[in-house]
Amino acid sequence: MGKIHSVLAGVAALSLAGGPAMSEPAIIYDIGGKFDKSFNESAYNGAETWKEQANGDYREIELQSEAQREQAIRRLAEAGNNPIAMPGFSFGTPLNTVAPEFPDTKFVIIDMVVDQPNVRSVLFKEHEGSYVVGVLAAMASDSGTVGFVGGMDIPLIRKFSCGYVQGVMETNPDARVIQNMTGTTGAAWNDPVKGAELARAQVAEGADVIYHAAGGTGVGVLQAAADAGVLGIGVDANQNYLQPGSVLTSMVKRVGSAVLSAFSDGPELETGIVEMGFADGGISYALDEHNAPLVTDEMKAAADSAVEKIMAGEIMVHNYLTSDSCPYG
């Protein structure tokens, strides 16, 4: 099983950026685009870091519709790109179809397991990171009511929300958590207007800290929170800079590290399932100049203690994916 090295740092219209393949790596961004300031952009940054470090080049595709997934994967494989990375669970079914057709090509999928001998499946312990930002949310809240805005209503996003609620409730048992999902299709990842609407509704109900796990939709959540004078919590990438002084922290999920590692390993990368968490730097909470005044020493100590206890097995964070339910509401 390969080890991910932590690094902090229309079909016709499917344009392939870059020159001749020559075993160049490639990446296919999920719906929402590579500049979503969140999940896809983190993957893009990992690819760009590899490009700078290796003085190499890679190809990329930005999907315009769900129907393009399978053909995009096949097109890159036929062109000789290797490995081919794809961040997003929605690539699971098409990759499971295409991977056996190209046994000499290595594929990397993030947030989904595809059981094929030439696939590396990278998962993250998002529930654990969400627990920690939940601790911070509970401590920062004056009203005792906090919120969560998810993107597409799928088990993976319920994994985020459940961990968050657990962290909040174990810090303040009297707290209230308002939860909303943006939608049930891929469009839910790129609807900042809807994200802002949901955030404003939560503020109207008393929420003074709102965590999002909604991709590009979350930009609207953070903006609405800042406009209302409450705190937001970012996700995937460090989003503290988007609304300095109004983003309490960000639950950083280093998707870029997974892409960087895959591109660095090249066609010889080891396959199998890899899970990244606090111990290998795959997950963290963000503390920088943009949010330092918001996180007191007491809050930082509580968050760091939670991280240590999670790594030591002293705090067991519920994983929604293992039970398809959340005991914390």
Side-chain angles (χ1 to χ4, degrees):
M1 182 181 298
K3 182 178 187 296
I4 295 291
H5 303 288
S6 171
V7 181
L8 301 179
V11 169
L14 291 177
S15 61
L16 292 174
M22 297 175 60
S23 293
E24 288 174 349
I27 185 169
I28 310 171
Y29 302 104
D30 208 345
I31 299 293
K34 67 180 178 181
F35 296 125
D36 62 356
K37 302 186 185 303
S38 187
F39 183 80
N40 284 294
E41 192 159 336
S42 181
Y44 164 75
N45 288 335
E48 285 291 294
T49 299
W50 172 84
K51 181 178 180 178
E52 295 171 9
Q53 293 180 353
N55 193 28
D57 203 0
Y58 65 94
R59 288 188 168 188
E60 59 184 7
I61 289 178
E62 290 189 75
L63 298 180
Q64 303 302 311
S65 71
E66 294 287 341
Q68 296 174 333
R69 291 185 190 276
E70 183 174 325
Q71 192 148 355
I73 302 169
R74 184 175 287 109
R75 181 171 180 177
L76 289 170
E78 289 174 341
N81 294 104
N82 192 12
I84 301 170
M86 54 208 76
F89 72 96
S90 293
F91 287 102
T93 297
L95 179 57
N96 198 49
T97 298
V98 177
E101 301 174 13
F102 301 91
D104 297 327
T105 301
K106 299 292 179 64
F107 301 90
V108 179
I109 185 168
I110 299 172
D111 284 350
M112 177 57 70
V113 174
V114 172
D115 187 15
Q116 297 289 347
N118 54 337
V119 175
R120 173 186 287 179
S121 301
V122 184
L123 307 176
F124 288 84
K125 299 179 181 180
E126 301 96 345
H127 55 309
E128 295 181 353
S130 297
Y131 179 99
V132 174
V133 301
V135 171
L136 291 171
M139 296 182 71
S141 176
D142 292 323
S143 68
T145 298
V146 302
F148 174 86
V149 176
M152 187 175 176
D153 191 356
I154 54 172
L156 176 63
I157 301 304
R158 294 287 176 179
K159 182 183 179 185
F160 283 82
S161 65
C162 186
Y164 175 66
V165 175
Q166 183 180 347
V168 170
M169 301 305 295
E170 291 188 354
T171 304
N172 177 11
D174 295 323
R176 175 184 175 218
V177 185
I178 305 169
Q179 302 178 64
N180 296 110
M181 296 292 178
T182 305
T184 58
T185 69
W189 303 120
N190 194 26
D191 192 347
V193 173
K194 180 67 173 180
E197 290 174 355
L198 292 173
R200 286 192 292 266
Q202 293 186 356
V203 172
E205 289 189 57
D208 58 0
V209 184
I210 303 175
Y211 174 38
H212 87 84
T217 297
V219 175
V221 174
L222 298 180
Q223 180 69 62
D227 290 347
V230 304
L231 298 173
I233 297 178
V235 79
D236 295 337
N238 180 352
Q239 299 184 316
N240 295 354
Y241 74 97
L242 291 177
Q243 302 292 336
S246 293
V247 180
L248 176 62
T249 188
S250 296
M251 199 291 283
V252 180
K253 172 179 171 179
R254 289 188 170 83
V255 176
S257 294
V259 174
L260 173 57
S261 176
F263 280 17
S264 298
D265 290 349
E268 305 306 315
L269 70 81
E270 294 183 53
T271 58
I273 300 174
V274 178
E275 189 170 31
M276 302 177 68
F278 283 118
D280 56 11
I283 292 290
S284 69
Y285 76 94
L287 186 63
D288 58 23
E289 69 273 19
H290 300 300
N291 73 327
L294 303 173
V295 181
T296 65
D297 290 342
E298 181 185 10
M299 291 165 66
K300 184 178 184 301
D304 289 342
S305 176
V307 171
E308 293 172 2
K309 289 179 178 180
I310 288 170
M311 289 193 293
E314 296 173 29
I315 292 179
M316 302 301 295
V317 184
H318 182 77
N319 186 345
Y320 183 93
L321 298 183
T322 65
S323 64
D324 201 33
S325 65
C326 182
Y328 301 94

